[in-house]
Amino acid sequence: EDQVTQSPEALRLQEGESSSLNCSYTVSGLRGLFWYRQDPGKGPEFLFTLYSAGEEKEKERLKATLTKKESFLHITAPKPEDSATYLCAVRNSNTGKLIFGQGTTLQVKP
Amino acid sequence: DADVTQTPRNRITKTGKRIMLECSQTKGHDRMYWYRQDPGLGLRLIYYSFDVKDINKGEISDGYSVSRQAQAKFSLSLESAIPNQTALYFCATSSLGGGASTDTQYFGPGTRLTVL
């Protein structure tokens, strides 16, 4: 069964304190791992897509990496505006459907 | 202007009422989706449509129906609302184009539905 597990569920950081969010997955044929950011009361905002193990993508203070079993979202020197819920999803290559994790809620304090 | 719009943004209704949520997009995408989001359960797929004549059930379609009125419009109906359908509902769109960003889903702002 396809499954996505994100950890931790919640993370509190001080401004400037770097950390990583984890997304572990099992899927019968991976056709993309997606990271989204979701602010309270808003829809998920697309961040990255990773397709193969070893691939990395960066955007400002965020860097996403991918292995055969998990993905990490590294946050370097976070700012309060990085506070949000970060969602991970994988696409099954057979069905084409996205399977979402439950998200990690990040709070960055000034 | 937003690429994916949803109406209404908030709705409170009573058990047994019929309700329709609407989604419109200006992204020119051919694929559209409806999800619901519940605390602790993440996003779950209700229905999806790959073009105007194609409608498919997702993992939690019971109690819901959809209509794809045009390439840009996809509506979700609750024929007889019940309290456990209280949730955040999101519409998403994607396009099976070429390149590395193939079929990335882009989400609307959501509709908060409360069924009393």
Side-chain angles (χ1 to χ4, degrees), chain A residues 45-106:
Chain A
E45 174 188 348
F46 171 70
L47 292 174
F48 305 109
T49 310
L50 302 167
Y51 287 99
S52 56
E55 189 175 358
E56 298 182 353
K57 288 198 176 167
E58 289 188 63
K59 180 180 180 179
E60 295 180 352
R61 295 176 292 281
L62 301 177
K63 183 169 84 171
T65 62
L66 180 65
T67 72
K68 289 185 178 181
K69 294 183 178 181
E70 58 191 350
S71 176
F72 291 94
L73 185 64
H74 307 277
I75 302 176
T76 302
K79 298 182 178 182
E81 53 261 42
D82 294 321
S83 298
T85 296
Y86 291 86
L87 303 174
C88 170
V90 296
R91 181 161 58 213
N92 182 304
S93 62
N94 298 319
T95 67
K97 295 176 184 177
L98 286 184
I99 301 97
F100 282 86
Q102 295 178 355
T104 293
T105 299
L106 172 66

Side-chain angles (χ1 to χ4, degrees), chain B residues 28-82:
Chain B
H29 288 173
D30 49 356
R31 300 181 167 196
M32 299 186 74
Y33 310 79
W34 276 105
Y35 289 88
R36 68 177 277 175
Q37 187 175 41
D38 300 273
L41 294 179
L43 281 157
R44 292 181 293 166
L45 183 63
I46 306 172
Y47 271 95
Y48 61 104
S49 169
F50 283 175
D51 64 43
V52 175
K53 296 182 179 181
D54 176 75
I55 300 289
N56 303 282
K57 292 182 177 181
E59 60 179 306
I60 54 164
S61 59
D62 288 348
Y64 302 94
S65 62
V66 291
S67 174
R68 187 82 183 266
Q69 298 95 328
Q71 186 190 33
K73 295 184 182 297
F74 192 35
S75 61
L76 176 72
S77 293
L78 288 67
E79 297 300 327
S80 180
I82 56 177

Side-chain angles (χ1 to χ4, degrees), chain A residues 25-36:
Chain A
Y25 65 89
T26 54
V27 63
S28 55
L30 178 69
R31 195 168 70 110
L33 183 140
F34 299 80
W35 281 100
Y36 287 85

